[in-house]
Amino acid sequence: MSPTLNVGVRIPSGEAPDPADLRQFVQRAEELGFESIWVGDHVFHHTDVLHPLELLSWVAGQTHRVRLGTAVVLAAYLNPVLLAKSAATIDHLSDGRLVLGVSLGGTAEEFTSLGVPMQQRLGLLMENVDIARRLWREDGVDHVGRYHHLTAASVRPKPRQDPLPVYFGGRSTPMLHRLARVADGWIASGHWTIEEFVAGTAMVRERAAESGRDPDRLGIAKVQGVSVHRDGKQARERARSHWQRYYGPTFDVDRSVIHGTPDECTELLAGFRTVDAPEVTLILEPTSLEPAELDLLWESAKSLC
C-alpha cells in the first residue's frame, strides 16, 4: 500500500517571532498548498515557545483552508475543562479545522511549577482526554475520577467536528499499544527516522486491529525536521544551529533531520511512500520563518502530494 501523503508544516520555535513575519509565513503556507499548519508546546524552555492553543486561534484568523494541529500539546498537566473549552473554541472559530495532538511529555520543572505530579502523568493524560471528549459530546457531565470531579459540567459551543480528532504523540511501545486502542491518530516524534516510523506505524495498525478497530480509520502523522537550501552545506549548518539550539548540543541532526538541496530533500522525503497506511500527514518543520526557505520546502515536498 502506497499512502496518500498530506504535506503540512509546523511553525518553528526558537525565538519570539515578529507578528508580521508569522502572518506572512502562515498565509504563504496556505497559498503554496500546504495541507495543514501545526504548532508545538512547552511552558518552560530555554528558547521562545508561544502557547500552542492561543497561537492556533490566531492562525485560524489568518487562514481559511488549512487544517490546524497541535504537535503536540502537553496535556497531562493541563486542566481538562479548560483544554476542552479552548479546543472547542478553536474548532468552532476555524469552522472545524482542528486536530488536537496530545502527549504526556513535559519537564520535571514544568510539572512541579504547575503543581501536577509528574509520576502520575499517564493517568492524568488519559483522564484528561476522557473528560474533554465527554464535554465535547455531552451537556451536564458528571465525572468522579482519580484526579478530577465534575458536576453538571457543560462546554458550549460544541466543536463543529463530531468527533473532534485527538491524536496521541508517543514513542514507547506501551504508549503505542495504548494509543492504538483509544486515539483517533498517532503523531510520531521528530526524533524518529523514517525507518523507525515505518515500523512504528505497522505496530500501531496491528494493535488497532487486534483491539477490534479499523486500522484504516486511524490517523497517522509524523513530525519531520527539514532544512533545505540551494547549498547543501548551508542546509546542514542551518539544521545543526536550529535543532541543537532547541533540543540541545547532543541532538543528532544527521540521524533525525532531512537536510540538503531541494532535489536531495525530495529524494529523502520520498521514503515516506514506503509507509503501509492509506494516508499519512507529514508535519514538516523548517529552520525559520523566512519566506525563501518555506518556498524551497514546498518545492521539495509538493511532488509527494
Side-chain angles (χ1 to χ4, degrees):
M1 175 189 311
S2 182
T4 297
L5 296 177
N6 301 316
V7 178
V9 64
R10 186 162 82 162
I11 296 172
S13 296
E15 57 185 53
D18 181 283
D21 293 340
L22 186 56
R23 181 180 299 108
Q24 182 182 41
F25 180 90
V26 299
Q27 292 179 346
R28 180 61 175 163
E30 183 168 69
E31 176 186 339
L32 286 168
F34 283 96
E35 183 266 347
S36 48
I37 295 175
W38 302 74
V39 298
D41 185 22
H42 267 295
V43 176
F44 299 150
H45 202 266
H46 55 270
T47 64
D48 297 330
V49 181
L50 296 175
H51 189 284
L53 297 175
E54 293 175 7
L55 174 55
L56 272 190
S57 183
W58 183 89
V59 174
Q62 307 296 324
T63 58
H64 304 281
R65 171 189 57 78
V66 288
R67 282 196 302 161
L68 308 168
T70 55
V72 290
V73 63
L74 306 179
Y77 53 49
L78 298 181
N79 179 286
V81 177
L82 296 179
L83 174 63
K85 182 70 172 181
S86 294
T89 298
I90 294 170
D91 198 60
H92 180 82
L93 292 176
S94 67
D95 198 21
R97 292 189 278 148
L98 179 64
V99 178
L100 186 67
V102 301
S103 168
L104 52 70
T107 65
E109 293 78 11
E110 288 171 320
F111 277 91
T112 298
S113 298
L114 292 167
V116 178
M118 186 174 185
Q119 66 273 22
Q120 297 179 40
R121 62 190 183 276
L122 176 58
L124 282 160
L125 175 66
M126 303 307 292
E127 187 170 330
N128 287 356
V129 169
D130 180 60
I131 289 171
R133 281 172 161 167
R134 288 194 63 194
L135 289 170
W136 294 331
R137 295 191 312 265
E138 307 169 29
D139 286 322
V141 173
D142 294 322
H143 173 88
V144 179
R146 180 176 181 183
Y147 305 104
H148 305 286
H149 289 191
L150 279 65
T151 301
S154 300
V155 162
R156 301 187 66 85
K158 303 298 185 190
R160 291 191 183 274
Q161 299 179 88
D162 183 17
L164 193 160
V166 179
Y167 286 26
F168 279 48
R171 290 187 282 174
S172 71
T173 297
M175 179 53 80
L176 295 184
H177 291 177
R178 188 172 290 106
L179 69 86
R181 296 193 302 270
V182 302
D184 299 308
W186 172 45
I187 299 176
S189 166
H191 289 73
W192 276 29
T193 64
I194 295 176
E195 293 75 18
E196 290 169 331
F197 175 56
V198 169
T201 299
M203 178 190 297
V204 168
R205 285 173 52 81
E206 180 180 356
R207 286 288 176 164
E210 290 173 355
S211 300
R213 307 182 70 193
D214 180 356
D216 288 350
R217 295 179 63 85
L218 188 70
I220 301 292
K222 168 77 166 73
V223 176
Q224 179 62 60
V226 182
S227 177
V228 57
H229 195 279
R230 299 292 182 194
D231 182 332
K233 291 182 179 179
Q234 282 293 316
R236 187 189 184 282
E237 175 55 27
R238 290 170 69 98
R240 184 204 61 77
S241 176
H242 175 69
W243 278 287
Q244 289 189 354
R245 181 182 179 211
Y246 188 83
Y247 290 117
T250 62
F251 182 77
D252 189 344
V253 296
D254 295 316
R255 180 182 187 278
S256 299
V257 176
I258 289 174
H259 56 80
T261 65
D263 287 344
E264 290 169 338
C265 289
T266 297
E267 182 177 353
L268 292 168
L269 286 166
F272 285 106
R273 295 192 185 280
T274 64
V275 179
D276 187 13
E279 188 172 350
V280 174
T281 296
L282 304 182
I283 305 170
L284 307 182
E285 181 180 342
T287 67
S288 74
L289 297 176
E290 294 174 10
E293 183 177 4
L294 184 63
D295 287 354
L296 286 177
L297 180 62
W298 179 246
E299 179 182 332
S300 302
K302 64 183 179 181
S303 64
L304 302 175
C305 301

